[in-house]
Amino acid sequence: TEMSPESSLWRLVKNNLPGHLCRIENVVGVGCPDVNACYKGNEVWLEMKVCKGNFVYFKASQVAWFQKRMKEQGNAKVVIQWNYYQKGQRVPHLLIVHGHTFLDAQEHWVPMKNKSIRVLVSEFFTEDSYCFSKPYDWKLVRKAIFAP
């Protein structure tokens, strides 16, 4: 059986990030991010997303979770895998977006029928986001993910 894009992204992150990483199956709570990670005392929640074209899709429950967590100054990020086409070649990128940056892009959210939203990936290219192209520098990815 072929893995879903999100499962492939989880495997990539799990195999390359240090620390204690737990993939959360969403029986815990609706909207709870996919992964909880802890490295040298720094804990972070990670929502794993794979772009469909140039769009990232979020459920309303995921948005609500981020709103509550950011209000309490929690550390949560969105890890987005995005394929940038350069001269017809697919160049995979990893984008690390802080929860605040995700919520600050609200004016660019496009509501969908099923209470989900879609966001153009370029809306997340801000000063406090990190973008890495393949081959990924995992030391820098780690710093971006575990930064407060």
Side-chain angles (χ1 to χ4, degrees):
T1 57
E2 202 174 317
M3 271 194 294
S4 75
E6 274 83 10
S7 293
S8 298
L9 176 56
W10 155 243
R11 181 171 284 174
L12 177 72
V13 169
K14 177 184 75 163
N15 291 340
N16 289 286
L17 269 191
H20 179 230
L21 279 72
C22 298
R23 188 169 185 188
I24 309 296
E25 298 302 330
N26 263 344
V27 289
V28 182
V30 180
C32 185
D34 307 304
V35 176
N36 178 265
C38 188
Y39 176 66
K40 293 188 174 178
N42 297 309
E43 193 166 0
V44 63
W45 286 92
L46 303 172
E47 180 58 48
M48 313 295 256
K49 291 289 181 184
V50 175
C51 278
K52 292 174 178 79
N54 287 323
F55 288 100
V56 191
Y57 291 80
F58 296 90
K59 295 182 184 119
S61 58
Q62 293 171 326
V63 171
W65 189 96
F66 268 90
Q67 288 168 330
K68 288 175 190 152
R69 188 55 56 118
M70 291 302 100
K71 189 177 170 207
E72 299 300 332
Q73 286 111 45
N75 193 7
K77 303 207 167 92
V78 185
V79 178
I80 302 168
Q81 191 170 44
W82 172 60
N83 289 320
Y84 175 67
Y85 285 88
Q86 215 167 5
K87 295 178 184 158
Q89 295 285 75
R90 187 173 72 97
V91 183
H93 283 66
L94 276 184
L95 193 58
I96 314 297
V97 180
H98 196 285
H100 288 297
T101 306
F102 165 53
L103 296 176
D104 289 347
Q106 188 163 357
E107 64 190 273
H108 305 288
W109 295 354
V110 178
M112 308 296 285
K113 278 184 229 137
N114 53 4
K115 289 189 177 168
S116 64
I117 59 157
R118 76 172 191 197
V119 187
L120 200 54
V121 70
S122 57
E123 297 302 342
F124 296 129
F125 296 152
T126 64
E127 287 174 16
D128 54 359
S129 294
Y130 299 87
C131 189
F132 303 97
S133 59
K134 208 171 180 180
Y136 306 119
D137 181 333
W138 285 100
K139 195 174 176 185
L140 293 178
V141 173
R142 182 194 79 216
K143 283 182 177 175
I145 284 177
F146 288 105

